[in-house]
Amino acid sequence: MFACRLPWWRSSVTCKSWQSGHFLPWGSCQMLTIKGINTTVGQEQQAGMKEKQVLEDSEMHLARRDTEGLFQEQPEPGNQYLEDTLLRSYLKTHLPPKVLEEVHQDLERFGNRLLTKIQALSWECELNPPVFRQFDAWGRCVDHIHTCSAWRRMKEISAEEGLIAEAYEKRYSNWSRLYQAVKLYLFSSSSGGFSCPLAMTDGAAKVIESLGIPEPLKNAFDRLTSRDPEKFWTSGQWMTERRGGSDVANGTETVARKQPDGTYRLYGFKWFTSAADSDMALTLARIADAEGQCTQGSRGLSLFFLRVRDEEGKLNNIQVQRLKDKLGTRQMATAELWLQGARAELISAEGRGVAAISNMLNITRIHNVIGAVASMRRMISLSRDYARKRVAFGKLLKDHPLHVQTIARMEVQVRGAFLLLMDIVRLLGLAETNLASEQEQLLLRLLIPVAKLYTGKQASAVAVEAMESFGGQGYMEDTGLPVILRDALVLSIWEGTTNILSLDVLRSLAKSQGQVMAVFLSTVQKKLELASGTEELSPAVQRAQEAIGSLRQFMAATGSERALTMEMAARDFSYSLARIYTGRATRNH
């Protein structure tokens, strides 16, 4: 068997022993076994001659392979931060010099840690997914979800690197959120799926912060934002029930019954709980009155905090029904859970649960964008490095114009998405430090769903295109490329599908009575005016102006049938906003 199963970009692979006749993904090492042949005394001489012939044939076979150049060179990107020229250029352009100096040093160090330590853990997480053990050897129900040591190490690393803490310590004032996003962007493709629990942890911390960090939640907040691996908590968000995901107003059946001490007991079934091994969770439930009746609709939903386990490690009256068998993100435990009197605390005003989770949704959707952009950047980096090494039709792939054009088109996609992400986290940083204007807050409200829906679709498309650039190797499981594709597919589903988010875009327009659209168009127009002074950008600016004109005409033409027409066109309308905004961002960077 292989001495090391890491995919080729994760770590250098060495052969400890010649024990198999197989190849590593790129044919970089073939391992053979030539064991002694069992013989009788009379067969010894014949067996010796056979063994000698096998050895000679094998040596000729290997020598012939070495000289014929049948091996493919594996792509080996280096320090992600140092190789990401767009990221470094953006930080140099926007960060204050003092902040840039400190951030640059830390990101270079982090890039080296990702390359030399963390990427190998990522592959271990993929090879060792969580396992559910319902009973122990004596038939006792234990409902234990076992995760591998690499997954647990990812949690420690997340604390050590301050991947949540950075946003809440505000060491760099309004730039703290952007800096956190950059570290998460670098970490994402090497996290072994741990970016998902971090998204929910960040969302939970944001909710608690928005509530003013009340005393009963101070310990939880301190743990969610801790840099100490021994204290750090991760959080789940248990919203999805049997009737589906996004329609929580009509789909939530969980009931909360108040106890004499002021706490609540929750009863219900949570159908899809990501990061089921987390320390705590936020969840929605309906409070039952004295007669056991619950208010239906969104007005009946309240938000609760609960610990998953008690101090002894026993589940909080929670029964694990099963782990989900998912297409991707297999590294993370996603479960179906029965709440059978789980002890919880009400943390929102009664009936204001949906409003209370709005901050959490914004944060987790931004994390979704981070994951999408990071996935695209990773695939393109691998594809580009491979093009520098792979010879086809007598020359390197990078010397084939059509191949270069294909990579360039992907690069344009990821650059636009990256700059859109940076604009969002920059605006969020301003809002969190009370420095954002009303116009900037309106723009942030619009851009979050636009970016989430658009980059979620982009990530899948870019992953498929990049896989194709490797030819047949892109389809091989042990290269790790299929993992990136599978994990990318969830990005257009989790935290709201494309249709749900497109309707959210329309709600932001309606709620602001058109102010959001006015701010959007004004922002884009200002950027295009700056770009129009550069002669080589004139054709691109002209096309962007034409797109804005078409957008204005569409909105004016909806007339009396505006609601129906806009809903039917919601996806295309949202895509247009994303393309126009990323176009102006790319031209002005």
Side-chain angles (χ1 to χ4, degrees):
M1 299 300 292
F2 297 151
C4 181
R5 295 180 66 190
L6 301 183
W8 31 257
W9 77 83
R10 308 279 185 178
S11 170
S12 60
V13 180
T14 57
C15 306
K16 295 181 180 178
S17 61
W18 295 74
Q19 294 179 338
S20 169
H22 300 293
F23 294 98
L24 292 183
W26 301 93
S28 56
C29 177
Q30 184 189 34
M31 293 177 276
L32 297 173
T33 175
I34 305 296
K35 296 182 180 179
I37 303 173
N38 293 329
T39 64
T40 64
V41 176
Q43 294 173 318
E44 240 177 285
Q45 187 175 5
Q46 183 180 0
M49 293 176 63
K50 285 183 178 179
E51 184 171 350
K52 181 179 179 182
Q53 184 64 47
V54 169
L55 285 168
E56 289 176 352
D57 290 345
S58 298
E59 288 169 358
M60 288 179 63
H61 189 58
L62 288 172
R64 186 164 62 250
R65 290 185 181 277
D66 286 337
T67 57
E68 290 177 2
L70 295 178
F71 298 134
Q72 295 186 28
E73 291 291 335
Q74 67 187 54
E76 295 178 314
N79 184 310
Q80 292 173 233
Y81 170 65
L82 295 180
E83 292 186 350
D84 196 330
T85 55
L86 179 62
L87 168 60
R88 294 180 64 191
S89 174
Y90 181 91
L91 296 178
K92 184 177 181 181
T93 302
H94 291 84
L95 292 184
K98 177 64 174 169
V99 175
L100 176 63
E101 181 181 355
E102 293 184 23
V103 162
H104 170 74
Q105 292 176 358
D106 185 56
L107 292 178
E108 183 175 357
R109 175 203 58 78
F110 187 45
N112 285 329
R113 189 181 190 188
L114 287 167
L115 182 65
T116 60
K117 303 293 184 183
I118 299 176
Q119 286 177 4
L121 294 173
S122 173
W123 190 241
E124 284 187 46
C125 291
E126 176 65 24
L127 294 177
N128 299 282
V131 177
F132 173 47
R133 185 165 66 97
Q134 191 168 16
F135 300 99
D136 68 9
W138 304 100
R140 289 175 296 190
C141 183
V142 292
D143 279 358
H144 178 65
I145 298 174
H146 174 77
T147 56
C148 68
S149 60
W151 178 263
R152 298 191 294 273
R153 180 63 184 131
M154 287 295 189
K155 182 180 180 181
E156 296 172 349
I157 290 169
S158 299
E160 294 163 0
E161 293 292 342
L163 296 181
I164 303 301
E166 198 63 63
Y168 297 90
E169 294 169 347
K170 294 184 173 61
R171 288 191 298 161
Y172 302 120
S173 184
N174 58 294
W175 296 107
S176 294
R177 181 61 81 170
L178 185 143
Y179 178 45
Q180 180 216 27
V182 169
K183 291 197 77 169
L184 289 167
Y185 161 73
L186 294 173
F187 180 65
S188 181
S189 59
S190 302
S191 71
F194 206 82
S195 290
C196 184
L198 289 181
M200 295 182 289
T201 300
D202 199 354
K206 185 64 177 177
V207 168
I208 296 173
E209 184 184 57
S210 70
L211 295 172
I213 316 179
E215 186 59 34
L217 295 177
K218 188 177 187 308
N219 177 58
F221 180 80
D222 289 345
R223 286 178 174 274
L224 293 171
T225 58
S226 176
R227 289 179 180 265
D228 184 348
E230 295 296 321
K231 296 180 179 179
F232 180 59
W233 277 2
T234 56
S235 176
Q237 57 184 52
W238 300 353
M239 308 299 168
T240 304
E241 301 197 6
R242 286 181 288 194
R243 293 185 183 178
S246 297
D247 187 10
V248 294
N250 297 305
T252 302
E253 300 173 321
T254 299
V255 173
R257 303 188 185 281
K258 193 170 185 178
Q259 305 300 301
D261 63 358
T263 64
Y264 288 78
R265 296 284 183 175
L266 304 185
Y267 300 86
F269 181 68
K270 296 297 180 178
W271 187 74
F272 199 98
T273 60
S274 296
D277 60 320
S278 292
D279 303 279
M280 57 160 279
L282 299 184
T283 189
L284 294 172
R286 301 185 188 279
I287 297 177
D289 60 21
E291 286 74 38
Q293 300 299 309
C294 300
T295 302
Q296 298 304 305
S298 61
R299 293 183 180 179
L301 293 176
S302 302
L303 185 64
F304 292 85
F305 158 84
L306 61 86
R307 290 284 306 276
V308 177
R309 296 169 183 80
D310 61 21
E311 299 300 331
E312 297 178 357
K314 296 180 180 179
L315 287 171
N316 175 15
N317 294 312
I318 298 167
Q319 180 182 349
V320 182
Q321 177 156 294
R322 65 169 178 164
L323 294 185
K324 293 290 193 179
D325 186 8
K326 299 172 293 180
L327 171 66
T329 63
R330 297 174 182 172
Q331 315 94 330
M332 177 184 63
T334 302
E336 296 175 5
L337 303 177
W338 283 101
L339 307 185
Q340 300 173 322
R343 187 182 182 88
E345 296 178 35
L346 176 66
I347 64 173
S348 72
E350 188 171 336
R352 295 288 295 167
V354 174
I357 65 172
S358 61
N359 283 317
M360 178 172 65
L361 289 176
N362 283 335
I363 294 298
T364 53
R365 286 171 177 175
I366 291 172
H367 276 257
N368 203 91
V369 178
I370 293 171
V373 179
S375 173
M376 289 188 280
R377 172 53 64 204
R378 187 63 174 169
M379 288 295 271
I380 293 172
S381 295
L382 291 166
S383 180
R384 191 167 50 208
D385 191 67
Y386 187 55
R388 298 189 186 105
K389 299 174 178 180
R390 171 69 168 145
V391 175
F393 301 103
K395 56 185 177 181
L396 293 168
L397 291 180
K398 75 177 184 65
D399 296 324
H400 289 275
L402 183 58
H403 191 84
V404 173
Q405 182 192 63
T406 303
I407 294 178
R409 286 176 174 172
M410 291 190 289
E411 180 67 29
V412 170
Q413 291 285 318
V414 74
R415 285 185 174 231
F418 172 82
L419 294 173
L420 174 59
L421 167 63
M422 289 296 102
D423 258 16
I424 288 173
V425 293
R426 179 184 61 82
L427 291 170
L428 178 61
L430 291 172
E432 290 180 326
T433 51
N434 299 314
L435 297 174
S437 65
E438 182 181 354
Q439 289 75 21
E440 288 171 326
Q441 292 180 55
L442 286 170
L443 185 60
L444 177 63
R445 169 69 181 87
L446 175 66
L447 290 182
I448 290 175
V450 166
K452 194 279 179 187
L453 70 88
Y454 192 64
T455 59
K457 287 292 191 182
Q458 279 183 306
S460 299
V462 168
V464 170
E465 189 71 79
M467 280 183 68
E468 188 178 333
S469 73
F470 291 92
Q473 279 297 94
Y475 199 64
M476 296 299 105
E477 191 67 45
D478 55 359
T479 65
L481 292 168
V483 175
I484 300 176
L485 174 60
R486 284 197 300 268
D487 290 354
L489 293 173
V490 78
L491 297 170
S492 62
I493 299 173
W494 191 62
E495 296 304 336
T497 62
T498 307
N499 282 356
I500 292 295
L501 288 160
S502 297
L503 296 176
D504 192 33
V505 169
L506 298 189
R507 278 192 293 273
S508 72
L509 268 61
K511 189 174 182 179
S512 70
Q513 298 180 327
Q515 291 184 65
V516 164
M517 201 63 209
V519 171
F520 175 85
L521 292 172
S522 174
T523 301
V524 171
Q525 195 63 49
K526 289 177 182 177
K527 292 292 186 180
L528 292 178
E529 288 172 2
L530 290 173
S532 62
T534 305
E535 185 176 351
E536 57 265 31
L537 293 178
S538 294
V541 171
Q542 179 62 34
R543 286 194 295 272
Q545 294 285 17
E546 291 171 357
I548 292 173
S550 298
L551 197 64
R552 291 182 186 274
Q553 289 175 9
F554 168 75
M555 296 183 68
T558 53
S560 60
E561 298 181 1
R562 182 183 182 93
L564 177 61
T565 305
M566 287 298 290
E567 181 169 339
M568 291 286 288
R571 283 170 72 110
D572 292 339
F573 179 77
S574 299
Y575 288 164
S576 295
L577 295 181
R579 288 166 182 153
I580 289 171
Y581 198 88
T582 55
R584 69 93 218 175
T586 307
R587 293 179 186 100
N588 285 274
H589 177 66

Coordinates of all heavy atoms in Angstrom, one line a residue, residues 200-250:
M200 N -20.6 29.3 11.6 CA -21.7 29.3 12.5 C -21.2 29.9 13.9 O -22.0 30.5 14.6 CB -22.2 27.9 12.7 CG -22.9 27.4 11.4 SD -23.6 25.8 11.5 CE -22.2 24.8 11.6
T201 N -20.0 29.6 14.2 CA -19.4 30.2 15.5 C -19.4 31.7 15.4 O -19.7 32.4 16.3 CB -18.0 29.6 15.7 OG1 -18.1 28.2 15.8 CG2 -17.4 30.2 17.0
D202 N -18.9 32.2 14.3 CA -18.9 33.7 14.1 C -20.3 34.3 14.1 O -20.5 35.3 14.7 CB -18.2 34.0 12.7 CG -17.7 35.4 12.6 OD1 -17.9 36.2 13.5 OD2 -17.0 35.7 11.6
G203 N -21.2 33.5 13.5 CA -22.6 34.0 13.5 C -23.2 34.1 14.9 O -23.9 35.0 15.2
A204 N -22.9 33.0 15.7 CA -23.4 33.0 17.0 C -22.8 34.1 17.9 O -23.5 34.8 18.7 CB -23.1 31.6 17.7
A205 N -21.5 34.4 17.7 CA -20.8 35.4 18.4 C -21.5 36.8 18.1 O -21.7 37.7 18.9 CB -19.3 35.4 18.2
K206 N -21.8 36.9 16.8 CA -22.4 38.2 16.3 C -23.8 38.4 16.9 O -24.1 39.5 17.3 CB -22.5 38.2 14.8 CG -23.0 39.5 14.2 CD -22.0 40.6 14.5 CE -22.5 41.9 13.8 NZ -21.6 43.0 14.1
V207 N -24.5 37.4 17.0 CA -25.9 37.5 17.6 C -25.7 37.9 19.1 O -26.4 38.8 19.6 CB -26.6 36.1 17.5 CG1 -27.9 36.2 18.4 CG2 -27.0 35.9 16.1
I208 N -24.9 37.2 19.8 CA -24.7 37.6 21.2 C -24.2 39.0 21.4 O -24.7 39.7 22.3 CB -23.7 36.6 21.9 CG1 -24.4 35.1 21.9 CG2 -23.4 37.0 23.3 CD1 -23.4 34.0 22.4
E209 N -23.3 39.4 20.6 CA -22.8 40.8 20.6 C -23.9 41.8 20.3 O -24.0 42.8 21.0 CB -21.6 41.0 19.6 CG -21.0 42.3 19.7 CD -19.9 42.6 18.6 OE1 -20.3 42.4 17.4 OE2 -18.8 42.9 18.9
S210 N -24.7 41.5 19.3 CA -25.8 42.4 19.0 C -26.9 42.5 20.1 O -27.6 43.5 20.2 CB -26.5 41.9 17.7 OG -27.3 40.7 17.9
L211 N -26.9 41.5 21.0 CA -27.8 41.5 22.2 C -27.2 42.2 23.3 O -27.8 42.3 24.4 CB -28.2 40.1 22.6 CG -29.0 39.2 21.6 CD1 -29.1 37.8 22.0 CD2 -30.4 39.8 21.3
G212 N -26.0 42.7 23.2 CA -25.3 43.5 24.2 C -24.5 42.6 25.2 O -24.1 43.0 26.3
I213 N -24.3 41.3 24.8 CA -23.5 40.3 25.6 C -24.1 40.3 27.0 O -23.4 40.7 28.0 CB -22.0 40.6 25.6 CG1 -21.5 40.9 24.2 CG2 -21.3 39.4 26.2 CD1 -20.0 41.2 24.2
P214 N -25.4 39.9 27.2 CA -26.0 39.8 28.5 C -25.2 38.8 29.4 O -24.5 37.9 28.9 CB -27.4 39.3 28.2 CG -27.3 38.7 26.9 CD -26.3 39.4 26.1
E215 N -25.2 39.0 30.7 CA -24.4 38.3 31.6 C -24.6 36.8 31.5 O -23.6 36.1 31.5 CB -24.8 38.7 33.1 CG -23.9 38.1 34.1 CD -22.4 38.4 33.9 OE1 -22.1 39.5 33.5 OE2 -21.6 37.6 34.2
P216 N -25.8 36.2 31.3 CA -25.9 34.8 31.1 C -25.2 34.2 29.9 O -24.9 33.0 29.8 CB -27.4 34.5 31.0 CG -28.0 35.7 31.6 CD -27.1 36.9 31.3
L217 N -24.9 35.1 28.9 CA -24.2 34.7 27.7 C -22.8 35.1 27.6 O -22.1 34.8 26.6 CB -25.0 35.2 26.5 CG -26.4 34.7 26.3 CD1 -27.0 35.4 25.1 CD2 -26.4 33.2 26.1
K218 N -22.3 35.8 28.7 CA -20.9 36.3 28.6 C -19.9 35.1 28.5 O -18.9 35.2 27.7 CB -20.6 37.1 29.8 CG -19.2 37.8 29.7 CD -19.0 38.7 30.9 CE -17.7 39.5 30.7 NZ -16.5 38.7 30.4
N219 N -20.1 34.1 29.3 CA -19.1 32.9 29.2 C -19.1 32.3 27.8 O -18.0 32.0 27.3 CB -19.5 31.9 30.2 CG -18.6 30.7 30.2 OD1 -17.4 30.8 30.3 ND2 -19.2 29.5 29.9
A220 N -20.3 32.2 27.2 CA -20.4 31.6 25.9 C -19.7 32.5 24.9 O -18.9 32.1 24.0 CB -21.8 31.4 25.4
F221 N -19.9 33.8 25.0 CA -19.3 34.8 24.0 C -17.7 34.8 24.2 O -17.0 34.7 23.2 CB -19.8 36.2 24.3 CG -19.2 37.2 23.4 CD1 -19.6 37.4 22.1 CD2 -18.1 38.1 23.8 CE1 -19.1 38.3 21.2 CE2 -17.6 39.0 23.0 CZ -18.0 39.1 21.7
D222 N -17.3 34.7 25.4 CA -15.8 34.7 25.7 C -15.2 33.4 25.1 O -14.1 33.5 24.6 CB -15.5 34.8 27.2 CG -15.8 36.1 27.8 OD1 -16.0 37.1 27.0 OD2 -16.0 36.2 29.0
R223 N -15.9 32.3 25.2 CA -15.4 31.1 24.6 C -15.4 31.1 23.1 O -14.5 30.6 22.4 CB -16.1 29.9 25.2 CG -15.8 29.6 26.6 CD -16.6 28.4 27.2 NE -16.2 28.0 28.5 CZ -15.2 27.2 28.8 NH1 -14.5 26.6 27.8 NH2 -15.0 26.9 30.1
L224 N -16.5 31.6 22.5 CA -16.6 31.6 21.0 C -15.5 32.5 20.4 O -15.1 32.3 19.3 CB -18.0 32.2 20.6 CG -19.2 31.3 21.0 CD1 -20.4 32.1 20.7 CD2 -19.1 30.0 20.2
T225 N -15.0 33.5 21.1 CA -14.1 34.4 20.6 C -12.7 34.3 21.3 O -11.8 35.2 21.2 CB -14.5 35.9 20.8 OG1 -14.8 36.1 22.2 CG2 -15.9 36.1 20.1
S226 N -12.5 33.1 21.9 CA -11.2 32.9 22.6 C -10.1 32.5 21.7 O -10.3 31.8 20.6 CB -11.4 31.8 23.7 OG -10.2 31.5 24.3
R227 N -8.8 32.8 22.1 CA -7.6 32.3 21.4 C -7.0 31.2 22.1 O -6.0 30.6 21.6 CB -6.6 33.5 21.3 CG -7.0 34.6 20.3 CD -5.9 35.7 20.3 NE -6.2 36.7 19.3 CZ -5.8 36.8 18.1 NH1 -5.0 35.9 17.6 NH2 -6.2 37.8 17.3
D228 N -7.6 30.8 23.2 CA -7.1 29.6 24.0 C -7.8 28.3 23.5 O -9.0 28.2 23.7 CB -7.4 29.9 25.5 CG -6.8 28.8 26.3 OD1 -6.4 27.7 25.8 OD2 -6.8 29.0 27.6
P229 N -7.0 27.4 22.9 CA -7.6 26.1 22.4 C -8.4 25.4 23.5 O -9.3 24.6 23.2 CB -6.4 25.3 21.9 CG -5.4 26.4 21.6 CD -5.6 27.5 22.6
E230 N -8.0 25.5 24.8 CA -8.6 24.8 25.9 C -10.0 25.4 26.2 O -10.8 24.7 26.7 CB -7.7 24.9 27.1 CG -6.4 24.1 27.0 CD -6.6 22.6 26.7 OE1 -7.5 22.0 27.4 OE2 -5.9 22.1 25.9
K231 N -10.2 26.7 25.9 CA -11.4 27.4 26.2 C -12.4 27.5 25.0 O -13.6 27.7 25.1 CB -11.1 28.7 26.8 CG -10.4 28.7 28.1 CD -10.2 30.1 28.6 CE -9.4 30.1 30.0 NZ -9.2 31.5 30.5
F232 N -11.8 27.5 23.8 CA -12.5 27.8 22.6 C -13.7 26.9 22.3 O -13.6 25.7 22.4 CB -11.6 27.8 21.4 CG -12.2 28.1 20.0 CD1 -12.8 29.4 19.8 CD2 -12.1 27.2 19.0 CE1 -13.3 29.7 18.6 CE2 -12.7 27.5 17.8 CZ -13.3 28.7 17.6
W233 N -14.9 27.5 22.0 CA -16.0 26.8 21.6 C -16.4 27.0 20.2 O -16.1 28.1 19.6 CB -17.2 27.2 22.4 CG -17.4 26.7 23.8 CD1 -16.5 25.8 24.4 CD2 -18.4 26.9 24.7 NE1 -17.0 25.5 25.7 CE2 -18.2 26.2 25.9 CE3 -19.6 27.7 24.7 CZ2 -19.0 26.2 27.0 CZ3 -20.4 27.8 25.8 CH2 -20.1 27.0 27.0
T234 N -17.0 26.0 19.6 CA -17.7 26.2 18.3 C -19.2 26.1 18.5 O -19.6 25.5 19.5 CB -17.2 25.2 17.2 OG1 -17.5 23.9 17.7 CG2 -15.8 25.4 16.9
S235 N -19.9 26.7 17.6 CA -21.4 26.7 17.7 C -22.1 26.1 16.5 O -21.6 26.3 15.4 CB -21.9 28.1 17.9 OG -23.3 28.1 18.0
G236 N -23.2 25.4 16.7 CA -24.0 25.0 15.6 C -25.2 26.0 15.5 O -25.4 26.8 16.4
Q237 N -26.0 25.9 14.4 CA -27.2 26.6 14.3 C -28.3 25.6 13.8 O -28.2 25.1 12.7 CB -27.1 27.8 13.3 CG -26.6 27.5 11.9 CD -26.4 28.8 11.1 OE1 -25.7 29.7 11.5 NE2 -27.0 28.9 9.9
W238 N -29.2 25.4 14.6 CA -30.2 24.3 14.4 C -31.5 24.9 14.0 O -32.4 25.2 14.8 CB -30.4 23.5 15.6 CG -29.1 22.8 16.1 CD1 -27.9 22.8 15.4 CD2 -28.9 22.1 17.3 NE1 -27.0 22.1 16.1 CE2 -27.5 21.6 17.3 CE3 -29.7 21.7 18.4 CZ2 -27.0 20.9 18.3 CZ3 -29.2 21.0 19.4 CH2 -27.8 20.5 19.4
M239 N -31.7 25.2 12.7 CA -32.9 25.9 12.2 C -33.7 25.0 11.3 O -34.9 25.1 11.3 CB -32.5 27.1 11.4 CG -31.5 28.1 12.1 SD -32.2 28.8 13.6 CE -30.8 29.5 14.4
T240 N -33.1 24.1 10.6 CA -33.8 23.3 9.6 C -34.5 22.1 10.3 O -33.9 21.3 11.0 CB -32.9 22.7 8.5 OG1 -32.2 23.8 8.0 CG2 -33.6 22.0 7.5
E241 N -35.8 22.0 10.0 CA -36.6 20.9 10.5 C -37.2 20.1 9.4 O -36.9 20.2 8.2 CB -37.7 21.4 11.5 CG -37.0 22.2 12.6 CD -37.9 22.4 13.8 OE1 -39.0 21.9 13.9 OE2 -37.5 23.1 14.8
R242 N -38.2 19.2 9.7 CA -38.7 18.2 8.7 C -39.3 18.8 7.5 O -39.3 18.3 6.4 CB -39.7 17.3 9.4 CG -39.0 16.3 10.3 CD -39.9 15.3 10.9 NE -40.8 16.0 11.9 CZ -41.5 15.3 12.8 NH1 -41.5 14.0 12.8 NH2 -42.2 15.9 13.7
R243 N -39.9 20.0 7.6 CA -40.6 20.6 6.5 C -39.7 21.4 5.6 O -40.1 21.9 4.6 CB -41.7 21.5 7.0 CG -42.8 20.8 7.7 CD -43.9 21.7 8.1 NE -45.0 21.1 8.8 CZ -46.1 21.7 9.3 NH1 -46.2 23.0 9.2 NH2 -47.0 21.0 10.0
G244 N -38.4 21.5 5.9 CA -37.5 22.2 5.0 C -36.6 23.2 5.6 O -36.7 23.4 6.8
G245 N -35.9 24.0 4.8 CA -34.9 24.8 5.3 C -35.2 26.3 5.4 O -35.4 26.8 6.5
S246 N -35.3 27.0 4.3 CA -35.4 28.5 4.4 C -36.7 29.0 5.0 O -36.8 30.1 5.6 CB -35.2 29.1 3.0 OG -33.9 28.8 2.5
D247 N -37.8 28.2 4.8 CA -39.1 28.7 5.3 C -39.3 28.3 6.8 O -40.1 27.5 7.2 CB -40.2 28.0 4.5 CG -41.6 28.5 4.8 OD1 -41.7 29.5 5.6 OD2 -42.6 27.9 4.4
V248 N -38.5 28.9 7.6 CA -38.5 28.6 9.1 C -39.8 29.0 9.7 O -40.3 28.4 10.7 CB -37.3 29.3 9.8 CG1 -36.0 28.7 9.4 CG2 -37.3 30.8 9.6
A249 N -40.5 30.0 9.2 CA -41.7 30.5 9.7 C -42.8 29.4 9.7 O -43.6 29.3 10.7 CB -42.2 31.8 9.0
N250 N -42.8 28.7 8.7 CA -43.9 27.6 8.6 C -43.3 26.2 8.8 O -44.1 25.3 9.0 CB -44.5 27.6 7.2 CG -45.2 28.9 6.9 OD1 -46.1 29.3 7.7 ND2 -44.9 29.6 5.9

